Amino acid sequence: MSPANIATVLVGDESLCLQCAELLLEKGHSIRGVVTGAASVREWAEERGIPVVSRGKALAERLG
């Protein structure tokens, strides 16, 4: 039996965020957004059509 697919928002600025993202996508999970301030993570997400949200005030509301 395979585990249920999950939908997630990732938060990170380093290569670990990208490694986790790749693993999630490989397993068939979805990434609904990425919160980052790093250009490399932003570029990765944008290339895949994943919305990018900048850190800052009212983050929870902006993710809603």
Side-chain angles (χ1 to χ4, degrees):
M1 174 182 269
S2 64
N5 287 348
I6 59 171
T8 188
V9 173
L10 297 178
V11 179
D13 293 328
E14 305 293 334
S15 63
L16 179 59
C17 180
L18 298 180
Q19 292 170 6
C20 292
E22 289 290 349
L23 287 172
L24 286 165
L25 293 175
E26 285 175 17
K27 299 292 183 181
H29 303 295
S30 64
I31 301 171
R32 299 288 173 94
V34 175
V35 179
T36 189
S40 60
V41 177
R42 175 180 293 279
E43 182 178 302
W44 178 92
E46 289 173 346
E47 288 174 356
R48 288 156 182 79
I50 299 170
V52 178
V53 179
S54 296
R55 297 174 187 256
K57 292 184 179 184
L59 177 60
E61 290 81 14
R62 288 186 286 126
L63 288 173

Short mmCIF file of all heavy atoms in Angstrom, two decimals:
data_model
loop_
_atom_site.label_atom_id
_atom_site.label_comp_id
_atom_site.label_asym_id
_atom_site.label_seq_id
_atom_site.Cartn_x
_atom_site.Cartn_y
_atom_site.Cartn_z
N MET A 1 0.85 -1.18 0.00
CA MET A 1 0.00 0.00 0.00
C MET A 1 0.90 1.24 0.00
O MET A 1 1.82 1.34 0.79
CB MET A 1 -0.89 -0.02 1.25
CG MET A 1 -1.70 1.23 1.43
SD MET A 1 -2.69 1.21 2.93
CE MET A 1 -4.17 0.50 2.30
N SER A 2 0.60 2.19 -0.88
CA SER A 2 1.40 3.41 -0.92
C SER A 2 0.78 4.48 -0.03
O SER A 2 -0.44 4.53 0.12
CB SER A 2 1.52 3.93 -2.36
OG SER A 2 0.25 4.30 -2.83
N PRO A 3 1.62 5.32 0.56
CA PRO A 3 1.09 6.38 1.43
C PRO A 3 0.32 7.40 0.59
O PRO A 3 0.53 7.54 -0.61
CB PRO A 3 2.34 7.01 2.04
CG PRO A 3 3.45 6.64 1.12
CD PRO A 3 3.06 5.34 0.47
N ALA A 4 -0.59 8.09 1.25
CA ALA A 4 -1.40 9.12 0.58
C ALA A 4 -0.51 10.26 0.12
O ALA A 4 0.50 10.58 0.74
CB ALA A 4 -2.47 9.64 1.53
N ASN A 5 -0.89 10.86 -0.99
CA ASN A 5 -0.15 12.03 -1.47
C ASN A 5 -0.43 13.21 -0.55
O ASN A 5 -1.53 13.35 -0.02
CB ASN A 5 -0.57 12.38 -2.89
CG ASN A 5 -0.02 11.40 -3.89
OD1 ASN A 5 0.85 10.60 -3.57
ND2 ASN A 5 -0.52 11.45 -5.09
N ILE A 6 0.56 14.04 -0.38
CA ILE A 6 0.41 15.21 0.46
C ILE A 6 0.64 16.47 -0.37
O ILE A 6 1.29 16.42 -1.40
CB ILE A 6 1.37 15.20 1.67
CG1 ILE A 6 2.83 15.14 1.21
CG2 ILE A 6 1.07 14.04 2.59
CD1 ILE A 6 3.84 15.34 2.31
N ALA A 7 0.09 17.55 0.10
CA ALA A 7 0.33 18.87 -0.49
C ALA A 7 1.00 19.70 0.59
O ALA A 7 0.58 19.67 1.75
CB ALA A 7 -0.97 19.52 -0.92
N THR A 8 2.03 20.44 0.23
CA THR A 8 2.81 21.15 1.22
C THR A 8 3.29 22.50 0.72
O THR A 8 3.29 22.76 -0.48
CB THR A 8 4.02 20.29 1.66
OG1 THR A 8 4.68 20.90 2.76
CG2 THR A 8 5.00 20.11 0.53
N VAL A 9 3.69 23.33 1.65
CA VAL A 9 4.40 24.57 1.37
C VAL A 9 5.76 24.43 2.02
O VAL A 9 5.86 24.06 3.20
CB VAL A 9 3.65 25.80 1.96
CG1 VAL A 9 4.49 27.05 1.82
CG2 VAL A 9 2.30 25.98 1.29
N LEU A 10 6.81 24.67 1.27
CA LEU A 10 8.16 24.56 1.80
C LEU A 10 8.69 25.94 2.19
O LEU A 10 8.40 26.93 1.53
CB LEU A 10 9.09 23.94 0.77
CG LEU A 10 8.76 22.51 0.35
CD1 LEU A 10 9.72 22.04 -0.72
CD2 LEU A 10 8.82 21.58 1.55
N VAL A 11 9.50 25.96 3.25
CA VAL A 11 10.13 27.19 3.71
C VAL A 11 11.62 26.93 3.80
O VAL A 11 12.05 26.01 4.51
CB VAL A 11 9.59 27.61 5.10
CG1 VAL A 11 10.27 28.87 5.58
CG2 VAL A 11 8.08 27.77 5.06
N GLY A 12 12.41 27.72 3.07
CA GLY A 12 13.85 27.53 3.16
C GLY A 12 14.61 28.37 2.17
O GLY A 12 14.06 28.83 1.16
N ASP A 13 15.89 28.55 2.46
CA ASP A 13 16.77 29.36 1.62
C ASP A 13 18.00 28.58 1.15
O ASP A 13 18.84 29.14 0.44
CB ASP A 13 17.26 30.59 2.40
CG ASP A 13 16.15 31.56 2.72
OD1 ASP A 13 15.22 31.67 1.91
OD2 ASP A 13 16.22 32.21 3.77
N GLU A 14 18.13 27.35 1.54
CA GLU A 14 19.35 26.59 1.26
C GLU A 14 19.08 25.40 0.35
O GLU A 14 17.94 25.09 0.03
CB GLU A 14 19.96 26.10 2.59
CG GLU A 14 20.22 27.18 3.60
CD GLU A 14 21.31 28.16 3.19
OE1 GLU A 14 22.19 27.77 2.40
OE2 GLU A 14 21.27 29.31 3.65
N SER A 15 20.14 24.72 -0.02
CA SER A 15 20.01 23.57 -0.91
C SER A 15 19.19 22.44 -0.31
O SER A 15 18.58 21.66 -1.03
CB SER A 15 21.40 23.06 -1.31
OG SER A 15 22.11 22.60 -0.19
N LEU A 16 19.13 22.35 1.02
CA LEU A 16 18.32 21.31 1.65
C LEU A 16 16.85 21.46 1.27
O LEU A 16 16.15 20.47 1.04
CB LEU A 16 18.47 21.34 3.17
CG LEU A 16 17.65 20.31 3.95
CD1 LEU A 16 18.00 18.90 3.50
CD2 LEU A 16 17.86 20.48 5.44
N CYS A 17 16.37 22.68 1.16
CA CYS A 17 14.99 22.92 0.74
C CYS A 17 14.76 22.34 -0.64
O CYS A 17 13.74 21.69 -0.90
CB CYS A 17 14.70 24.42 0.76
SG CYS A 17 13.02 24.86 0.27
N LEU A 18 15.71 22.55 -1.55
CA LEU A 18 15.58 22.04 -2.91
C LEU A 18 15.66 20.52 -2.95
O LEU A 18 14.94 19.87 -3.70
CB LEU A 18 16.65 22.65 -3.80
CG LEU A 18 16.60 24.17 -3.97
CD1 LEU A 18 17.72 24.65 -4.87
CD2 LEU A 18 15.25 24.60 -4.50
N GLN A 19 16.51 19.95 -2.14
CA GLN A 19 16.62 18.49 -2.09
C GLN A 19 15.33 17.87 -1.59
O GLN A 19 14.86 16.87 -2.15
CB GLN A 19 17.80 18.08 -1.19
CG GLN A 19 19.15 18.46 -1.77
CD GLN A 19 20.28 18.26 -0.77
OE1 GLN A 19 20.08 17.75 0.33
NE2 GLN A 19 21.47 18.67 -1.15
N CYS A 20 14.75 18.45 -0.56
CA CYS A 20 13.47 17.96 -0.03
C CYS A 20 12.37 18.11 -1.08
O CYS A 20 11.55 17.21 -1.27
CB CYS A 20 13.08 18.72 1.24
SG CYS A 20 14.16 18.36 2.64
N ALA A 21 12.38 19.25 -1.77
CA ALA A 21 11.38 19.50 -2.80
C ALA A 21 11.47 18.46 -3.91
O ALA A 21 10.44 17.91 -4.35
CB ALA A 21 11.56 20.90 -3.37
N GLU A 22 12.66 18.17 -4.37
CA GLU A 22 12.84 17.17 -5.43
C GLU A 22 12.34 15.80 -4.98
O GLU A 22 11.68 15.09 -5.74
CB GLU A 22 14.31 17.10 -5.85
CG GLU A 22 14.80 18.30 -6.61
CD GLU A 22 14.21 18.42 -8.02
OE1 GLU A 22 13.57 17.48 -8.51
OE2 GLU A 22 14.42 19.48 -8.63
N LEU A 23 12.64 15.42 -3.75
CA LEU A 23 12.17 14.13 -3.24
C LEU A 23 10.64 14.08 -3.17
O LEU A 23 10.03 13.07 -3.54
CB LEU A 23 12.76 13.86 -1.85
CG LEU A 23 14.24 13.48 -1.83
CD1 LEU A 23 14.75 13.43 -0.39
CD2 LEU A 23 14.46 12.16 -2.53
N LEU A 24 10.04 15.16 -2.71
CA LEU A 24 8.58 15.20 -2.65
C LEU A 24 7.97 15.04 -4.04
O LEU A 24 7.03 14.25 -4.23
CB LEU A 24 8.11 16.52 -2.02
CG LEU A 24 8.29 16.63 -0.51
CD1 LEU A 24 8.14 18.08 -0.07
CD2 LEU A 24 7.30 15.74 0.21
N LEU A 25 8.49 15.76 -5.01
CA LEU A 25 7.96 15.69 -6.37
C LEU A 25 8.18 14.30 -6.97
O LEU A 25 7.28 13.75 -7.63
CB LEU A 25 8.59 16.76 -7.24
CG LEU A 25 8.22 18.20 -6.89
CD1 LEU A 25 9.01 19.17 -7.76
CD2 LEU A 25 6.73 18.44 -7.02
N GLU A 26 9.33 13.70 -6.72
CA GLU A 26 9.62 12.36 -7.23
C GLU A 26 8.64 11.33 -6.70
O GLU A 26 8.31 10.36 -7.38
CB GLU A 26 11.04 11.94 -6.85
CG GLU A 26 12.13 12.60 -7.65
CD GLU A 26 13.51 12.23 -7.15
OE1 GLU A 26 13.66 11.22 -6.41
OE2 GLU A 26 14.47 12.96 -7.49
N LYS A 27 8.17 11.53 -5.47
CA LYS A 27 7.23 10.60 -4.83
C LYS A 27 5.78 10.90 -5.19
O LYS A 27 4.87 10.24 -4.69
CB LYS A 27 7.41 10.62 -3.31
CG LYS A 27 8.78 10.21 -2.84
CD LYS A 27 9.04 8.75 -3.12
CE LYS A 27 10.39 8.33 -2.58
NZ LYS A 27 10.68 6.94 -2.85
N GLY A 28 5.56 11.91 -6.04
CA GLY A 28 4.20 12.22 -6.48
C GLY A 28 3.43 13.19 -5.61
O GLY A 28 2.23 13.36 -5.79
N HIS A 29 4.10 13.81 -4.67
CA HIS A 29 3.46 14.80 -3.80
C HIS A 29 3.44 16.15 -4.51
O HIS A 29 4.14 16.35 -5.50
CB HIS A 29 4.18 14.89 -2.46
CG HIS A 29 4.24 13.58 -1.74
ND1 HIS A 29 3.13 12.92 -1.28
CD2 HIS A 29 5.30 12.79 -1.44
CE1 HIS A 29 3.49 11.78 -0.69
NE2 HIS A 29 4.81 11.68 -0.79
N SER A 30 2.64 17.07 -4.00
CA SER A 30 2.58 18.39 -4.63
C SER A 30 3.11 19.47 -3.68
O SER A 30 2.96 19.38 -2.47
CB SER A 30 1.16 18.73 -5.07
OG SER A 30 0.31 18.83 -3.96
N ILE A 31 3.74 20.46 -4.29
CA ILE A 31 4.25 21.61 -3.55
C ILE A 31 3.39 22.79 -3.96
O ILE A 31 3.40 23.19 -5.12
CB ILE A 31 5.74 21.86 -3.86
CG1 ILE A 31 6.56 20.62 -3.48
CG2 ILE A 31 6.23 23.09 -3.11
CD1 ILE A 31 8.00 20.67 -3.94
N ARG A 32 2.64 23.32 -3.02
CA ARG A 32 1.70 24.40 -3.31
C ARG A 32 2.35 25.77 -3.29
O ARG A 32 1.80 26.73 -3.81
CB ARG A 32 0.54 24.37 -2.31
CG ARG A 32 -0.26 23.09 -2.35
CD ARG A 32 -1.11 23.04 -3.62
NE ARG A 32 -1.77 21.77 -3.78
CZ ARG A 32 -2.99 21.51 -3.37
NH1 ARG A 32 -3.69 22.44 -2.77
NH2 ARG A 32 -3.51 20.32 -3.55
N GLY A 33 3.52 25.86 -2.69
CA GLY A 33 4.22 27.14 -2.63
C GLY A 33 5.56 26.98 -1.94
O GLY A 33 5.81 25.98 -1.26
N VAL A 34 6.41 27.97 -2.15
CA VAL A 34 7.72 28.01 -1.52
C VAL A 34 7.90 29.39 -0.91
O VAL A 34 7.69 30.40 -1.58
CB VAL A 34 8.84 27.73 -2.54
CG1 VAL A 34 10.20 27.89 -1.90
CG2 VAL A 34 8.69 26.34 -3.15
N VAL A 35 8.28 29.41 0.35
CA VAL A 35 8.59 30.66 1.05
C VAL A 35 10.11 30.76 1.12
O VAL A 35 10.76 29.89 1.72
CB VAL A 35 7.98 30.69 2.46
CG1 VAL A 35 8.34 31.99 3.17
CG2 VAL A 35 6.47 30.49 2.41
N THR A 36 10.66 31.79 0.49
CA THR A 36 12.12 31.90 0.44
C THR A 36 12.55 33.33 0.18
O THR A 36 11.78 34.13 -0.35
CB THR A 36 12.71 30.98 -0.64
OG1 THR A 36 14.13 30.96 -0.51
CG2 THR A 36 12.31 31.42 -2.04
N GLY A 37 13.77 33.60 0.52
CA GLY A 37 14.39 34.87 0.20
C GLY A 37 15.60 34.64 -0.70
O GLY A 37 16.27 35.58 -1.11
N ALA A 38 15.87 33.38 -1.02
CA ALA A 38 17.04 33.01 -1.82
C ALA A 38 16.71 32.98 -3.31
O ALA A 38 15.74 32.35 -3.72
CB ALA A 38 17.58 31.65 -1.38
N ALA A 39 17.55 33.63 -4.09
CA ALA A 39 17.33 33.68 -5.54
C ALA A 39 17.35 32.29 -6.17
O ALA A 39 16.54 32.00 -7.06
CB ALA A 39 18.38 34.58 -6.19
N SER A 40 18.22 31.42 -5.71
CA SER A 40 18.33 30.08 -6.31
C SER A 40 17.07 29.26 -6.06
O SER A 40 16.60 28.53 -6.95
CB SER A 40 19.55 29.34 -5.78
OG SER A 40 19.47 29.19 -4.37
N VAL A 41 16.51 29.36 -4.87
CA VAL A 41 15.29 28.62 -4.54
C VAL A 41 14.11 29.22 -5.31
O VAL A 41 13.28 28.50 -5.85
CB VAL A 41 15.03 28.62 -3.02
CG1 VAL A 41 13.73 27.93 -2.68
CG2 VAL A 41 16.20 27.96 -2.28
N ARG A 42 14.06 30.54 -5.37
CA ARG A 42 13.01 31.22 -6.14
C ARG A 42 13.04 30.78 -7.61
O ARG A 42 12.01 30.43 -8.18
CB ARG A 42 13.18 32.73 -6.05
CG ARG A 42 12.20 33.52 -6.91
CD ARG A 42 12.41 35.01 -6.76
NE ARG A 42 12.06 35.46 -5.43
CZ ARG A 42 10.82 35.73 -5.02
NH1 ARG A 42 9.82 35.60 -5.85
NH2 ARG A 42 10.59 36.13 -3.79
N GLU A 43 14.21 30.78 -8.20
CA GLU A 43 14.35 30.39 -9.60
C GLU A 43 13.90 28.95 -9.82
O GLU A 43 13.20 28.65 -10.78
CB GLU A 43 15.81 30.56 -10.02
CG GLU A 43 16.07 30.23 -11.47
CD GLU A 43 17.52 30.45 -11.83
OE1 GLU A 43 18.02 31.58 -11.67
OE2 GLU A 43 18.16 29.47 -12.28
N TRP A 44 14.31 28.05 -8.94
CA TRP A 44 13.92 26.64 -9.04
C TRP A 44 12.40 26.52 -9.04
O TRP A 44 11.84 25.82 -9.88
CB TRP A 44 14.54 25.85 -7.88
CG TRP A 44 14.15 24.42 -7.87
CD1 TRP A 44 14.82 23.39 -8.45
CD2 TRP A 44 12.98 23.86 -7.26
NE1 TRP A 44 14.13 22.22 -8.26
CE2 TRP A 44 13.00 22.48 -7.53
CE3 TRP A 44 11.92 24.38 -6.54
CZ2 TRP A 44 12.00 21.62 -7.08
CZ3 TRP A 44 10.92 23.53 -6.11
CH2 TRP A 44 10.96 22.16 -6.36
N ALA A 45 11.75 27.18 -8.10
CA ALA A 45 10.29 27.10 -7.99
C ALA A 45 9.61 27.70 -9.22
O ALA A 45 8.67 27.10 -9.77
CB ALA A 45 9.82 27.79 -6.72
N GLU A 46 10.05 28.85 -9.64
CA GLU A 46 9.44 29.52 -10.79
C GLU A 46 9.57 28.68 -12.05
O GLU A 46 8.64 28.62 -12.86
CB GLU A 46 10.04 30.90 -10.99
CG GLU A 46 9.60 31.88 -9.90
CD GLU A 46 10.31 33.22 -9.97
OE1 GLU A 46 11.34 33.34 -10.69
OE2 GLU A 46 9.84 34.15 -9.29
N GLU A 47 10.69 28.00 -12.22
CA GLU A 47 10.88 27.13 -13.39
C GLU A 47 9.87 25.99 -13.41
O GLU A 47 9.56 25.45 -14.47
CB GLU A 47 12.30 26.56 -13.41
CG GLU A 47 13.36 27.57 -13.76
CD GLU A 47 14.77 27.02 -13.63
OE1 GLU A 47 14.95 25.86 -13.19
OE2 GLU A 47 15.71 27.76 -13.97
N ARG A 48 9.36 25.62 -12.25
CA ARG A 48 8.42 24.52 -12.15
C ARG A 48 6.98 24.98 -11.97
O ARG A 48 6.08 24.19 -11.74
CB ARG A 48 8.84 23.60 -10.99
CG ARG A 48 10.08 22.82 -11.36
CD ARG A 48 10.86 22.37 -10.16
NE ARG A 48 12.07 21.67 -10.57
CZ ARG A 48 13.19 22.26 -11.00
NH1 ARG A 48 13.26 23.58 -11.08
NH2 ARG A 48 14.23 21.56 -11.37
N GLY A 49 6.78 26.27 -12.06
CA GLY A 49 5.43 26.82 -11.93
C GLY A 49 4.88 26.79 -10.51
O GLY A 49 3.67 26.82 -10.31
N ILE A 50 5.77 26.75 -9.53
CA ILE A 50 5.36 26.72 -8.13
C ILE A 50 5.38 28.16 -7.61
O ILE A 50 6.39 28.86 -7.74
CB ILE A 50 6.32 25.84 -7.30
CG1 ILE A 50 6.28 24.40 -7.82
CG2 ILE A 50 5.96 25.89 -5.82
CD1 ILE A 50 7.36 23.50 -7.24
N PRO A 51 4.27 28.61 -7.01
CA PRO A 51 4.23 29.98 -6.49
C PRO A 51 5.30 30.22 -5.42
O PRO A 51 5.59 29.35 -4.61
CB PRO A 51 2.84 30.09 -5.87
CG PRO A 51 2.03 29.02 -6.53
CD PRO A 51 3.00 27.91 -6.83
N VAL A 52 5.85 31.42 -5.45
CA VAL A 52 6.88 31.82 -4.48
C VAL A 52 6.34 32.97 -3.65
O VAL A 52 5.75 33.91 -4.18
CB VAL A 52 8.17 32.26 -5.19
CG1 VAL A 52 9.21 32.72 -4.18
CG2 VAL A 52 8.72 31.12 -6.04
N VAL A 53 6.51 32.86 -2.34
CA VAL A 53 6.08 33.90 -1.41
C VAL A 53 7.31 34.37 -0.65
O VAL A 53 8.09 33.56 -0.16
CB VAL A 53 5.02 33.36 -0.42
CG1 VAL A 53 4.59 34.41 0.56
CG2 VAL A 53 3.82 32.79 -1.19
N SER A 54 7.49 35.68 -0.56
CA SER A 54 8.62 36.23 0.19
C SER A 54 8.30 36.22 1.68
O SER A 54 7.14 36.33 2.08
CB SER A 54 8.91 37.66 -0.26
OG SER A 54 9.30 37.68 -1.59
N ARG A 55 9.33 36.12 2.48
CA ARG A 55 9.16 36.21 3.93
C ARG A 55 8.70 37.62 4.29
O ARG A 55 8.87 38.54 3.51
CB ARG A 55 10.48 35.91 4.62
CG ARG A 55 10.98 34.53 4.37
CD ARG A 55 12.37 34.36 4.97
NE ARG A 55 12.92 33.09 4.60
CZ ARG A 55 12.99 32.03 5.42
NH1 ARG A 55 12.55 32.13 6.64
NH2 ARG A 55 13.50 30.90 5.00
N GLY A 56 8.16 37.78 5.47
CA GLY A 56 7.78 39.10 5.93
C GLY A 56 6.51 39.08 6.76
O GLY A 56 5.99 38.03 7.12
N LYS A 57 6.01 40.27 7.03
CA LYS A 57 4.82 40.42 7.85
C LYS A 57 3.62 39.77 7.19
O LYS A 57 3.50 39.75 5.97
CB LYS A 57 4.53 41.89 8.08
CG LYS A 57 5.55 42.57 8.96
CD LYS A 57 5.15 44.00 9.24
CE LYS A 57 6.18 44.64 10.15
NZ LYS A 57 5.79 45.99 10.53
N ALA A 58 2.72 39.28 8.02
CA ALA A 58 1.45 38.68 7.59
C ALA A 58 1.66 37.49 6.64
O ALA A 58 0.85 37.28 5.74
CB ALA A 58 0.55 39.74 6.97
N LEU A 59 2.71 36.72 6.86
CA LEU A 59 3.00 35.59 5.99
C LEU A 59 1.83 34.59 5.99
O LEU A 59 1.43 34.13 4.92
CB LEU A 59 4.29 34.90 6.42
CG LEU A 59 4.67 33.64 5.64
CD1 LEU A 59 4.86 33.98 4.16
CD2 LEU A 59 5.93 33.02 6.21
N ALA A 60 1.31 34.28 7.13
CA ALA A 60 0.20 33.32 7.19
C ALA A 60 -0.98 33.76 6.36
O ALA A 60 -1.59 32.96 5.64
CB ALA A 60 -0.23 33.10 8.64
N GLU A 61 -1.30 35.02 6.41
CA GLU A 61 -2.43 35.55 5.63
C GLU A 61 -2.12 35.48 4.13
O GLU A 61 -3.00 35.15 3.32
CB GLU A 61 -2.78 36.98 6.03
CG GLU A 61 -3.41 37.10 7.41
CD GLU A 61 -2.40 37.07 8.54
OE1 GLU A 61 -1.17 37.23 8.29
OE2 GLU A 61 -2.81 36.86 9.69
N ARG A 62 -0.90 35.79 3.75
CA ARG A 62 -0.54 35.75 2.34
C ARG A 62 -0.52 34.33 1.80
O ARG A 62 -0.79 34.11 0.63
CB ARG A 62 0.82 36.44 2.12
CG ARG A 62 0.71 37.95 2.29
CD ARG A 62 2.00 38.67 1.95
NE ARG A 62 2.99 38.47 3.02
CZ ARG A 62 4.22 37.99 2.83
NH1 ARG A 62 4.64 37.67 1.63
NH2 ARG A 62 5.05 37.85 3.84
N LEU A 63 -0.22 33.37 2.64
CA LEU A 63 -0.25 31.98 2.21
C LEU A 63 -1.67 31.45 2.06
O LEU A 63 -1.91 30.53 1.29
CB LEU A 63 0.52 31.08 3.19
CG LEU A 63 2.03 31.22 3.17
CD1 LEU A 63 2.63 30.41 4.31
CD2 LEU A 63 2.59 30.81 1.84
N GLY A 64 -2.59 32.03 2.82
CA GLY A 64 -3.99 31.59 2.81
C GLY A 64 -4.58 31.67 1.46
O GLY A 64 -5.31 30.90 0.95
#
